[in-house]
Amino acid sequence: MKVLCLFCLFISYVASSQTCLPDYDASLKIDEFVDNADGTVTDASLGLVWMRCSLGQTWENETCSGNAHELTWQQALQAAHGYEYAGQLGWRVPNMKELASLTERACVRPAINELFFPNTYSDDYWTSTPSIADPKRAWVIAFFNSSNSLKDKNLFVFTRLVKTAD
């Protein structure tokens, strides 16, 4: 029984760590981001400033700590409204294309560059993009594997905020 428990613990540890293709070039997105040394990074190519942590986490000692908040879609939009972070206003929930630009398709669990976005949950994150066909649903990006899907707006999902660079 002890061996089985140890095996299960090992498998859960392995399943929770990022896996990348062997020929993955970690510098692929390094040139695109500028570390602002305040818990944000700027994507110079898109003109966007990203919070390095998920909503609810704290940027300290060069990493994201604490637990991220899971919010409904409406709660995420409301939380972003008037949000101040790193001495800046103008934060918002990113649209689908913006959030998808953070995915690292060569990696899973999480499918994001961990150098710039440490401790990102391998789970769904809200976008501000609603479904055209169903007003009760909105798009999410899954940082488990870079996929996207529609989710009911009343589900509790993680959020990362963005703003347009000044």
Side-chain angles (χ1 to χ4, degrees):
M1 184 67 168
K2 277 187 179 178
V3 173
L4 180 60
C5 289
L6 288 173
F7 178 74
C8 291
L9 182 63
F10 174 76
I11 292 300
S12 68
Y13 171 76
V14 170
S16 67
S17 61
Q18 187 178 50
T19 304
C20 297
L21 295 173
D23 58 349
Y24 169 66
D25 180 5
S27 66
L28 182 65
K29 290 193 174 191
I30 288 177
D31 294 339
E32 295 177 24
F33 293 110
V34 176
D35 183 351
N36 299 318
D38 61 0
T40 68
V41 293
T42 299
D43 181 335
S45 66
L46 296 178
L48 298 172
V49 178
W50 290 95
M51 289 177 50
R52 295 182 77 172
C53 301
S54 305
L55 271 183
Q57 291 180 311
T58 305
W59 179 253
E60 56 188 11
N61 301 321
E62 299 299 312
T63 193
C64 299
S65 60
N67 296 319
H69 298 256
E70 292 181 275
L71 305 169
T72 66
W73 188 71
Q74 192 63 44
Q75 288 172 335
L77 295 174
Q78 289 171 339
H81 184 73
Y83 195 81
E84 184 175 347
Y85 183 77
Q88 301 176 54
L89 295 170
W91 297 100
R92 58 186 168 76
V93 177
N95 66 42
M96 192 166 146
K97 287 184 179 183
E98 290 169 335
L99 192 58
S101 76
L102 294 184
T103 61
E104 180 52 70
R105 296 190 182 275
C107 300
V108 295
R109 294 186 210 110
I112 194 168
N113 187 317
E114 288 191 307
L115 177 66
F116 293 105
F117 303 99
N119 295 325
T120 295
Y121 289 81
S122 297
D123 210 331
D124 293 335
Y125 279 71
W126 283 122
T127 75
S128 61
T129 309
S131 168
I132 294 172
D134 183 354
K136 294 181 180 181
R137 295 163 48 119
W139 287 97
V140 297
I141 301 292
F143 283 100
F144 174 80
N145 62 0
S146 300
S147 64
N148 58 63
S149 62
L150 287 167
K151 296 284 182 178
D152 187 290
K153 291 178 179 178
N154 290 319
L155 292 176
F156 291 91
V157 175
F158 297 110
T159 307
R160 181 181 313 275
L161 300 183
V162 68
K163 69 184 291 296
T164 304
D166 297 330

